[in-house]
């Protein structure tokens, strides 16, 4: 269970770090899309796509939205696409619940920044895996997460279990995480851990850092329990199947 290698230290400023790993067979049980479905698999980390200032602005969007709700347990989510917001032990639809007041919470500039950040991450993933960014589609769920050390109250709060995104969400082909807070400064624990046979490799969150990877079993992973403070991140995921694509969120 020990971390044996740190892929990205919080104090590092990484331009681009990429590690190729053999692809799993998970993609074979889904329809393949040439020029997109992974044939090259791996994981990357970069601090050169999103600035810290942009990450702070994105975090403020998350804080405003999540302040309207929040899980009774330690893990809250906000999905600007579907409107899903943790509230107590359940979820509500942010847009239905707050209706016209939503314009007081978010601005068009917020959503424009969100779109721009998503676009840049998409381009970076495409570049790393040698595919066209136009063959990738945003897919659900894509969401903000806020994690603290409050005891879990429901299974939705148990974020720390090892999992495979392609198995959990069949549409996922490429997963990315944009970190919005700093390991050891804003929170303790909460590192991202790739679980490889015989060794674990971790990414230490840093505001503005993007971690991305192919979504199959070659990248089994988990998040350590947060021991203190609050960890903010946004998960942005992509599919090769246009039927599973979603549009950017819009402020209506």
């Amino acid at each position: 269970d020990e971390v044996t290698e740190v892929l990205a230290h919080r104090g590092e400023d990484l331009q681009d770090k990429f590690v190729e790993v053999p692809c799993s067979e998970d993609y074979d049980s889904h329809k393949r899309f040439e020029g997109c479905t992974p044939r090259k698999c791996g994981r990357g980390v970069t601090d050169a796509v999103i600035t810290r200032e942009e990450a702070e602005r994105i975090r403020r969007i998350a804080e405003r939205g999540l302040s309207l709700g929040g899980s009774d347990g330690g893990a809250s989510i906000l999905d600007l696409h579907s409107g899903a917001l943790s509230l107590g032990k359940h979820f509500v639809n942010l847009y239905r619940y707050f209706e016209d007041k939503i314009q007081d919470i978010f601005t068009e500039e917020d959503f424009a920044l969100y779109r721009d950040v998503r676009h840049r991450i998409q381009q970076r993933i495409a570049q790393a895996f040698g595919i066209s960014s136009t063959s990738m589609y945003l897919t659900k769920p894509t969401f903000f997460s806020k994690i603290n050390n409050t005891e879990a109250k429901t299974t939705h709060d148990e974020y720390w279990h090892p999992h495979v995104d392609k198995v959990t969400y069949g549409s996922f082909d490429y997963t990315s995480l944009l970190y919005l807070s700093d390991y050891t400064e804003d929170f303790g624990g909460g590192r991202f851990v790739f679980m490889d046979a015989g060794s674990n490799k971790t990414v230490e969150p840093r505001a503005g850092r993007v971690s991305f990877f192919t979504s199959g079993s070659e990248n089994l992973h988990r998040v350590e329990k947060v021991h203190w403070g609050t960890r903010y991140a946004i998960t942005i995921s992509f599919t090769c199947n246009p039927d599973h694509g979603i549009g950017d969120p819009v402020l209506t």
Side-chain angles (χ1 to χ4, degrees):
D1 199 41
E2 293 301 307
V3 168
T4 55
E5 182 183 339
V6 179
L7 280 181
H9 291 272
R10 182 186 74 85
E12 291 180 281
D13 189 358
L14 293 169
Q15 286 300 303
D16 289 297
K17 185 167 189 174
F18 185 80
V19 179
E20 191 167 349
V21 297
C23 291
S24 65
E25 297 177 355
D26 294 351
Y27 308 99
D28 297 337
S29 57
H30 297 264
K31 184 179 178 182
R32 295 193 74 91
F33 293 85
E34 286 309 316
C36 183
T37 299
R39 292 199 180 275
K40 171 185 176 182
C41 293
R43 54 194 70 150
V45 185
T46 178
D47 296 316
V49 175
I50 310 300
T51 68
R52 287 188 71 88
E53 189 269 335
E54 288 169 330
E56 286 163 8
R57 287 168 59 199
I58 289 271
R59 174 173 163 168
R60 288 196 289 272
I61 298 171
E63 288 173 334
R64 287 201 303 275
L66 286 160
S67 70
L68 303 171
S71 168
D72 286 345
S76 301
I77 73 153
L78 165 65
D79 184 335
L80 289 180
H81 298 265
S82 69
L85 172 69
S86 301
L87 186 66
K89 293 185 175 65
H90 307 283
F91 294 93
V92 295
N93 185 309
L94 179 76
Y95 301 122
R96 280 207 293 269
Y97 203 73
F98 293 97
E99 294 183 334
D100 295 345
K101 295 191 185 71
I102 211 75
Q103 305 272 0
D104 301 328
I105 302 158
F106 303 119
T107 66
E108 290 290 357
E109 288 79 11
D110 292 337
F111 279 60
L113 175 62
Y114 182 99
R115 288 193 296 272
D116 182 40
V117 164
R118 186 274 303 165
H119 180 67
R120 275 185 271 158
I121 291 172
Q122 184 169 342
Q123 288 183 310
R124 180 65 194 91
I125 293 171
Q127 181 187 353
F129 290 101
I131 62 175
S132 168
S133 65
T134 57
S135 67
M136 301 164 61
Y137 303 89
L138 194 64
T139 193
K140 61 182 182 182
T142 287
F143 56 91
F144 290 105
S145 58
K146 173 187 175 183
I147 304 173
N148 59 34
N149 66 350
T150 306
E151 183 184 349
K153 299 295 192 295
T154 72
T155 54
H156 294 295
D157 298 319
E158 297 182 16
Y159 56 85
W160 54 81
H161 298 296
H163 64 279
V164 173
D165 290 347
K166 188 73 179 166
V167 174
T168 307
Y169 314 105
S171 63
F172 282 30
D173 290 304
Y174 300 93
T175 307
S176 72
L177 292 144
L178 167 59
Y179 297 108
L180 306 175
S181 50
D182 291 297
Y183 172 66
T184 71
E185 194 168 304
D186 298 312
F187 61 91
R191 293 179 298 178
F192 184 96
V193 184
F194 290 108
M195 304 179 69
D196 297 335
S199 71
N200 290 337
K201 300 176 179 67
T202 189
V203 174
E204 297 179 352
R206 159 190 168 122
R209 172 166 288 169
V210 177
S211 169
F212 60 90
F213 49 93
T214 45
S215 305
S217 301
E218 68 276 2
N219 283 313
L220 173 70
H221 60 274
R222 67 182 180 89
V223 173
E224 293 176 325
K225 287 186 179 181
V226 170
H227 302 309
W228 59 267
T230 305
R231 177 190 190 270
Y232 284 92
I234 178 170
T235 300
I236 302 177
S237 308
F238 300 96
T239 184
C240 295
N241 188 338
D243 292 342
H244 292 145
I246 60 173
D248 285 306
V250 290
L251 190 61
T252 54

